[in-house]
Amino acid sequence: MLGKKLVTAQKRGETRALCLGLGMVACSMMMYFFIGITIVPFYTKSVWTTETVCKVLKANIKDKVFSPKSEGSEDEEIFPYPCLQVWVNLTASGQEVMLYQTEDTLERNPKCSYVPDKLENSKEVKARIETIASNFKKYQTFPCYYDPGGTQTNVILSRLYPSKGLLFAFLWPTLMFTGGCLIIVLVKISQYVSVLSAWQ
């Protein structure tokens, strides 16, 4: 009687462990799919792939400009903000080019190096842009990214999705997939050992 209870409990435990392993594998596949349709296209579309050194030539704050309306947004996201323009000397080619914060900055407003998020407090936006401008004047040399193919003559300060960020995004689903496969393998080994012991 006790043996039957132990066998039943063992089968239930194996079933639960097997479900857990399959669930982990399924979740990791969904995470792979989500990363593949969201992050990977932005990473492959970016042409600013080579890192170099940029030296600030001038950082000026122009008159206020209006942020263009974002695509697909229903509400009007047009608000005025000071336009920061940073021009740098590209070490790789020696050209004088304009610097943008990220790839998204160029798409949102190609006239300005920095586009703030929509904030109600205009003084806070102005103070932030002035701080960024002073930091560029203080730190003259810094790493930046440019397009080695030459399709884009400007440079960006940082990539939205760098190589390390992409590898980090794939790390968690890979660990989950490995853990799920390991659980399934251990359950199958346990079932095989149980059948072998019962046969003997």
Side-chain angles (χ1 to χ4, degrees):
M1 188 70 179
L2 182 61
K4 290 183 177 180
K5 289 183 178 180
L6 289 175
V7 171
T8 304
Q10 183 180 1
K11 288 183 177 179
R12 288 179 179 175
E14 290 176 350
T15 303
R16 291 174 181 174
L18 191 62
C19 291
L20 175 63
L22 292 174
M24 291 175 66
V25 171
C27 288
S28 63
M29 289 296 151
M30 292 176 61
M31 292 174 68
Y32 278 129
F33 177 75
F34 180 75
I35 294 172
I37 63 174
T38 55
I39 299 179
V40 174
F42 285 104
Y43 175 79
T44 55
K45 191 176 73 171
S46 177
V47 295
W48 296 271
T49 55
T50 306
E51 184 176 351
T52 186
V53 177
C54 289
K55 185 177 181 180
V56 176
L57 297 176
K58 53 185 176 181
N60 301 324
I61 298 178
K62 301 293 184 180
D63 295 335
K64 287 187 175 182
V65 296
F66 288 90
S67 175
K69 184 179 179 181
S70 301
E71 294 183 4
S73 60
E74 298 179 356
D75 58 335
E76 292 289 333
E77 294 187 354
I78 300 177
F79 63 99
Y81 62 92
C83 182
L84 172 64
Q85 293 182 344
V86 180
W87 293 87
V88 298
N89 184 13
L90 187 60
T91 306
S93 60
Q95 295 178 332
E96 180 180 343
V97 295
M98 190 169 177
L99 174 74
Y100 295 94
Q101 184 184 13
T102 61
E103 301 95 330
D104 185 58
T105 307
L106 179 62
E107 294 181 1
R108 292 177 63 186
N109 193 347
K111 295 181 180 179
C112 304
S113 298
Y114 173 76
V115 177
D117 296 327
K118 186 176 180 180
L119 298 174
E120 296 180 359
N121 191 350
S122 58
K123 292 183 179 179
E124 183 179 348
V125 174
K126 183 179 179 181
R128 181 182 300 178
I129 292 177
E130 289 177 351
T131 302
I132 294 172
S134 63
N135 287 335
F136 276 118
K137 293 177 182 179
K138 183 178 179 181
Y139 304 100
Q140 292 285 316
T141 305
F142 51 87
C144 59
Y145 295 89
Y146 75 99
D147 175 20
T151 55
Q152 291 287 346
T153 56
N154 42 57
V155 295
I156 60 174
L157 181 62
S158 59
R159 300 182 65 183
L160 282 174
Y161 301 103
S163 301
K164 291 182 179 179
L166 190 65
L167 291 175
F168 185 76
F170 278 106
L171 175 62
W172 297 111
T174 302
L175 291 176
M176 185 178 292
F177 178 80
T178 305
C181 290
L182 185 61
I183 291 175
I184 294 173
V185 170
L186 291 176
V187 169
K188 291 300 181 181
I189 292 175
S190 175
Q191 290 177 346
Y192 175 77
V193 171
S194 299
V195 172
L196 186 63
S197 299
W199 181 77
Q200 289 179 348

